[in-house]
Amino acid sequence: MKIGYCFFFSFLFIISTSAQVIKGQVKNTVSEPLAGVSITLKNTFIGTISDKDGMFQLNVSGITSPILAFNSAGFETIEKVISDPAETEISVVLNKSISSLKEVTVTASRKPEVVDRTPASVQVINVRELQAQATISSSLSSILGYAVPSLGLGSNGTSNTGQTLRGRTPLILIDGIPQSTPLRNGARDMRTIDPSVIQRVEVIKGATAIYGNGADGGIINYITLQPNTVKKFSATTSIAKTGMAIHANETGGFRLNQQINGMTGKFDYALSGIYEKTGVYKDANGIVITPVNSYGETGLINLFSKFGYTLNDKNRIEVMYNYFSSKQNSQYIEQAGQHNINPTIGVKGEVKAIDEGTRYNHNAYVKYLAKGLLLNSSLEASAYMQSFYTVYGYSIYFIPAMQSTIHSEKKGLRLQLNTPWKLGKHIENEFLYGIDYLNDKTWQDLTDGRIWVPKMHLENPALFAQLSSTIKKYWVFKAGYRLDQASLSIPSFQQVKTSQSQGGKLINGGDLSFSASTFNTGLRFTKWEVFKPFVSFTQGFSMVDIGLYVRSAREDDIAKMQLQPIVVNNYEVGFSSSFRKVSLTASAYASTSKIGSTIVEENGFYLQQRAPERILGAEASLEVAAVKNFVIGTGVSYMEGKADINKNGSYNDVEDVYLTGRRIIPLKITSHIRFLPNSRTFVNLEWIYSGDRKRFQPQANGKYKFGEGPVSAYGIVNLNGGYNLTEKIRFFGGVENLLNKDYYNTTSQWYATDAYYIKSNGARYQVGVSYKW
């Protein structure tokens, strides 16, 4: 199926009758000027950023009662109405925000809104938090694992297998472009961009279909850098040294980062280039960690560009491109250990494999935005692409031993309109509606040319609509619907011989089609800052990992395989609270599906556990700034999930089973103490704890099935900080696993295989300096 869209736009230009320029200064609560504050004229593309003295000016000519929005990471977002045309000079004070409740998100409803006015669990990790966490680790898998309570901790490697969000798979996006490969989930979608080119990360927790297939656990959207529109040209150069703090031999590496951005006339731009080279990774005892799926001895390149042209205050065009590549060149090979006895490690030897890693990940979009159309509607139309290719480690699983790869080529179109209107005096509405289209081709082959998973071709058009209403100022109501129609083509292929399968079986290809209708609704009451409760019901849908299923399926024909979309229901109640110097969020949820999405292993075959599933959980985050210059925070998450094997609606029968470690993370606690003695300095100490989960018994041979290994608790301490020597020079540094803890992470434990029984790295540091010019 091929779909084309033709967009016809019309708009009116506002003719100025007089010139009105607003000048002003932005300060914090102790009268210090704030630089880098974003100031935008609401409902237009007119905006600027405050300079080093907090000063700004903005032309608002022709706008009746203009509304200025002030936004800066770490501060509450505020709006100021200029009702008097004679008012040309203003002073604005921003209050510090110790949480993300006042951050703006665009992912939850595909339009800007403040987090604590959204009837859902949303977490925003702003640019300051990202920069601080990136001094501990440049891996987004690790950064997000430390920052998001209900997300699994990273695997200490290139794979994010088992790093679920509330027990289900999240959809990873870059500026709304899907990175996940649900047709063959290779678990390398979380680290597909460098954190230095990300403005913020928006995490939508719980099933959602707002962006389509694959978000049954939620969405993690990387929002890339926005240009600095104050200067015609500005740049930042940074350099850092990395390595193991103990047993440092062969572990040294470095990181270079150059960013350039600015604005001239109506044209703005942001450019970035990053190169990182890592040394050998070692555990706490100085033993080299296996190079397979490791960050060790890897060269990383990230090239980013974003260009914008503001035609006028109502129309804008944007173009973005990002290239990411991570390629390992190791002199070590894997020496297998034994699960629950001794770890798999790296030893020097003959390297038979080609360099593993993500060879390339290209992302690009072209976007047109318009405001002030008919009925005061706004429009966003975009075309995007992603091209992804990754190589996995050498494995004796294949006969003969070989490496596997995954290719994914995506192209898509999006058209959405947002129309506001009032219903009487007390109800303000916004109606968002549009069309999405996704074309996805994904396949998995071996480096010797054998086809493990054939080239699958998915075409997925969808219609969606979302109503947002503010009732009597304090009640925020949402309801939405999405209809996806999809067709999937799988060609015939011959199964590959492995250590668990004879292979050689011909699988007859075929075409599948399905549709999914998903609904969401939610309500939040926002009158009191101290208590803003919400309740919501959302649905998401995804396909089971089709590639994983068909490559070792028992059936010999695609038509015989019962491959159906999985619709997930998410029921949630929660609240947010801000009281003086205390911020608290908490929620409880139930996630259910009539068809299971778990893949289980049985006699060498991967089978879909089709029984209904239920996951119950709760999470909470607390931030307190009660003591001067100190912020103390903690996040807690607990969940558990079971499958209703006999399908009788009860999850307490003897036949019912717990979901494996690939889905359910143990109790997780994250705590931190942040010390800010002055505006130039910060120090952050954090503790990460992962609890026990031992739900399964070993088989008769004493070994555990895949995903059922017992998980023992552990905790690690991280440290990071920064010091601004001058306005231009900044020193930064961090240590991951500060106390050099000797441990196996959760993935290594529940995986229950010898090859994946791998220790995590010991104390690892990064120190560096940046210069603005």
Side-chain angles (χ1 to χ4, degrees):
M1 184 196 319
K2 291 186 177 179
I3 297 180
Y5 297 106
C6 185
F7 307 126
F8 297 93
F9 308 115
S10 61
F11 50 88
L12 296 175
F13 291 95
I14 298 173
I15 302 175
S16 299
T17 57
S18 61
Q20 184 180 6
V21 177
I22 303 296
K23 297 181 180 180
Q25 185 179 34
V26 188
K27 301 179 180 179
N28 60 19
T29 52
V30 293
S31 297
E32 294 175 332
L34 291 178
V37 177
S38 171
I39 304 104
T40 57
L41 178 60
K42 201 169 180 180
N43 298 319
T44 74
F45 294 111
I46 297 174
T48 188
I49 295 176
S50 61
D51 63 19
K52 65 179 181 178
D53 298 315
M55 305 300 293
F56 71 93
Q57 67 177 33
L58 206 61
N59 191 329
V60 297
S61 299
I63 308 296
T64 303
S65 298
I67 303 173
L68 301 186
F70 297 81
N71 180 271
S72 181
F75 292 86
E76 294 184 1
T77 298
I78 67 168
E79 293 183 353
K80 184 173 180 62
V81 181
I82 312 297
S83 54
D84 183 359
E87 187 178 10
T88 58
E89 293 190 8
I90 62 175
S91 180
V92 176
V93 176
L94 297 187
N95 295 316
K96 277 190 175 181
S97 175
I98 60 173
S99 74
S100 63
L101 295 177
K102 298 301 180 182
E103 299 280 356
V104 175
T105 172
V106 296
T107 307
S109 298
R110 295 176 62 151
K111 63 182 182 66
E113 57 188 359
V114 179
V115 169
D116 67 356
R117 291 185 61 82
T118 302
S121 286
V122 179
Q123 181 177 347
V124 176
I125 306 169
N126 64 43
V127 66
R128 292 185 181 181
E129 293 175 282
L130 277 172
Q131 288 176 352
Q133 284 291 334
T135 62
I136 297 173
S137 171
S138 63
S139 165
L140 281 165
S141 178
S142 297
I143 291 172
L144 295 175
Y146 296 148
V148 182
S150 54
L151 181 72
L153 291 169
S155 67
N156 195 50
T158 56
S159 172
N160 49 272
T161 297
Q163 201 166 6
T164 57
L165 182 59
R166 292 187 170 183
R168 298 186 184 273
T169 304
L171 176 64
I172 311 298
L173 306 171
I174 295 177
D175 287 334
I177 303 172
Q179 305 302 295
S180 303
T181 53
L183 294 179
R184 173 68 275 267
N185 183 7
R188 283 190 173 176
D189 50 356
M190 200 164 285
R191 194 189 189 217
T192 54
I193 191 172
D194 191 84
S196 64
V197 298
I198 299 176
Q199 190 82 21
R200 65 185 186 277
V201 179
E202 299 181 359
V203 183
I204 313 302
K205 303 172 184 178
T208 176
I210 194 72
Y211 281 93
N213 177 25
D216 47 354
I219 291 175
I220 299 174
N221 194 6
Y222 305 143
I223 309 297
T224 58
L225 289 176
Q226 295 297 321
N228 180 347
T229 57
V230 171
K231 299 180 179 179
K232 291 184 178 181
F233 175 87
S234 63
T236 302
T237 303
S238 66
I239 182 170
K241 177 75 171 62
T242 62
M244 306 303 298
I246 306 173
H247 310 293
N249 186 41
E250 297 185 301
T251 68
F254 62 91
R255 180 176 168 85
L256 302 173
N257 184 358
Q258 179 64 62
Q259 293 186 355
I260 300 171
N261 59 64
M263 180 177 184
T264 175
K266 297 182 177 182
F267 176 75
D268 54 76
Y269 61 95
L271 304 170
S272 175
I274 297 103
Y275 180 74
E276 180 177 5
K277 182 70 175 69
T278 62
V280 171
Y281 272 49
K282 296 181 180 180
D283 65 21
N285 300 313
I287 305 300
V288 175
I289 295 171
T290 174
V292 177
N293 293 321
S294 169
Y295 294 140
E297 300 172 283
T298 295
L300 179 150
I301 299 173
N302 198 107
L303 303 174
F304 169 79
S305 62
K306 181 181 285 186
F307 301 98
Y309 187 77
T310 303
L311 301 168
N312 50 48
D313 64 339
K314 301 291 186 181
N315 297 268
R316 177 174 169 82
I317 297 172
E318 279 187 4
V319 179
M320 186 278 292
Y321 170 75
N322 192 79
Y323 168 81
F324 175 88
S325 176
S326 177
K327 186 176 179 180
Q328 186 185 70
N329 182 15
S330 177
Q331 58 182 321
Y332 286 84
I333 61 173
E334 182 176 89
Q335 178 178 294
Q338 192 171 357
H339 183 255
N340 271 344
I341 298 178
N342 60 285
T344 293
I345 63 173
V347 295
K348 289 188 177 181
E350 181 186 356
V351 180
K352 298 179 181 179
I354 65 171
D355 295 340
E356 71 164 282
T358 297
R359 288 288 197 275
Y360 58 77
N361 184 41
H362 301 277
N363 283 273
Y365 72 68
V366 178
K367 186 182 297 184
Y368 172 72
L369 304 104
K371 296 183 179 182
L373 303 178
L374 183 66
L375 302 178
N376 200 30
S377 298
S378 60
L379 177 144
E380 181 176 317
S382 62
Y384 66 84
M385 63 79 66
Q386 187 223 15
S387 180
F388 174 84
Y389 173 50
T390 193
V391 178
Y392 293 86
Y394 188 78
S395 175
I396 60 173
Y397 175 79
F398 305 108
I399 302 177
M402 197 50 59
Q403 294 170 265
S404 69
T405 72
I406 287 181
H407 307 252
S408 184
E409 305 286 341
K410 299 187 186 76
K411 297 180 178 65
L413 298 169
R414 290 200 176 108
L415 170 66
Q416 67 181 52
L417 288 144
N418 187 44
T419 302
W421 86 94
K422 286 189 175 182
L423 188 62
K425 293 182 179 180
H426 302 295
I427 303 177
E428 296 182 357
N429 303 288
E430 288 186 82
F431 185 52
L432 181 81
Y433 49 99
I435 301 171
D436 287 345
Y437 172 72
L438 171 65
N439 186 309
D440 182 353
K441 296 178 182 178
T442 299
W443 66 101
Q444 185 171 22
D445 53 16
L446 306 186
T447 51
D448 64 0
R450 284 178 287 169
I451 297 173
W452 201 13
V453 177
K455 183 181 288 188
M456 301 172 289
H457 185 192
L458 174 74
E459 292 194 88
N460 184 182
L463 300 172
F464 64 89
Q466 180 89 15
L467 174 67
S468 301
S469 298
T470 302
I471 304 166
K472 290 190 174 181
K473 190 177 179 180
Y474 300 117
W475 293 95
V476 179
F477 170 76
K478 284 188 180 181
Y481 174 77
R482 182 180 174 101
L483 174 63
D484 283 86
Q485 298 283 351
S487 61
L488 176 64
S489 176
I490 305 175
S492 300
F493 73 105
Q494 194 172 58
Q495 289 181 336
V496 167
K497 185 178 182 179
T498 69
S499 60
Q500 295 181 335
S501 172
Q502 287 300 312
K505 183 168 67 176
L506 178 65
I507 305 296
N508 293 316
D511 296 327
L512 302 172
S513 62
F514 66 88
S515 64
S517 295
T518 48
F519 176 75
N520 72 82
T521 186
L523 181 68
R524 186 187 278 266
F525 185 62
T526 64
K527 184 174 182 178
W528 308 300
E529 287 293 325
V530 72
F531 185 63
K532 293 185 176 182
F534 75 89
V535 60
S536 68
F537 168 74
T538 58
Q539 290 182 311
F541 86 96
S542 65
M543 294 291 293
V544 69
D545 190 334
I546 295 174
L548 180 62
Y549 186 96
V550 302
R551 75 189 190 190
S552 60
R554 287 176 171 173
E555 303 92 338
D556 61 2
D557 197 304
I558 297 297
K560 297 177 183 179
M561 301 178 189
Q562 297 180 347
L563 300 172
Q564 298 174 258
I566 301 158
V567 176
V568 176
N569 303 310
N570 187 76
Y571 308 85
E572 187 167 5
V573 60
F575 71 91
S576 63
S577 175
S578 295
F579 178 69
R580 294 184 179 176
K581 297 182 179 182
V582 178
S583 173
L584 172 66
T585 64
S587 64
Y589 57 87
S591 175
T592 67
S593 60
K594 293 181 179 179
I595 302 175
S597 59
T598 298
I599 297 292
V600 295
E601 181 187 349
E602 185 176 317
N603 299 323
F605 296 98
Y606 284 108
L607 306 174
Q608 182 181 2
Q609 194 176 71
R610 301 184 60 79
E613 295 178 348
R614 184 185 69 185
I615 299 171
L616 302 178
E619 64 178 292
S621 295
L622 174 68
E623 293 267 4
V624 180
V627 181
K628 185 179 180 181
N629 300 330
F630 283 90
V631 176
I632 302 172
T634 189
V636 181
S637 171
Y638 178 78
M639 68 188 73
E640 191 51 271
K642 296 187 78 173
D644 180 16
I645 299 300
N646 54 17
K647 303 180 182 180
N648 64 356
S650 170
Y651 288 85
N652 298 314
D653 298 334
V654 175
E655 298 87 350
D656 298 333
V657 299
Y658 285 98
L659 300 182
T660 69
R662 188 173 187 174
R663 295 281 305 281
I664 304 299
I665 68 172
L667 169 70
K668 179 181 170 187
I669 303 173
T670 61
S671 299
H672 64 263
I673 300 175
R674 192 178 305 129
F675 177 50
L676 302 104
N678 51 56
S679 60
R680 290 186 171 188
T681 310
F682 88 89
V683 179
N684 183 66
L685 184 70
E686 61 184 29
W687 175 63
I688 316 296
Y689 173 82
S690 176
D692 290 313
R693 188 171 187 261
K694 300 176 181 179
R695 296 294 193 184
F696 307 97
Q697 297 298 318
Q699 303 173 88
N701 62 4
K703 295 184 177 182
Y704 289 87
K705 288 184 178 180
F706 169 73
E708 297 186 357
V711 176
S712 298
Y714 65 88
I716 63 170
V717 176
N718 298 331
L719 173 70
N720 65 306
Y723 175 70
N724 294 330
L725 180 65
T726 67
E727 291 180 357
K728 294 186 175 183
I729 300 174
R730 176 176 176 265
F731 294 98
F732 58 86
V735 182
E736 184 178 29
N737 192 6
L738 177 68
L739 303 181
N740 201 42
K741 173 80 171 180
D742 185 27
Y743 72 102
Y744 296 90
N745 61 46
T746 54
T747 304
S748 295
Q749 296 182 67
W750 63 250
Y751 219 100
T753 64
D754 295 340
Y756 280 86
Y757 197 56
I758 305 166
K759 285 188 176 182
S760 292
N761 61 269
R764 183 170 177 80
Y765 72 88
Q766 179 182 175
V767 292
V769 60
S770 65
Y771 180 79
K772 293 182 179 180
W773 48 284

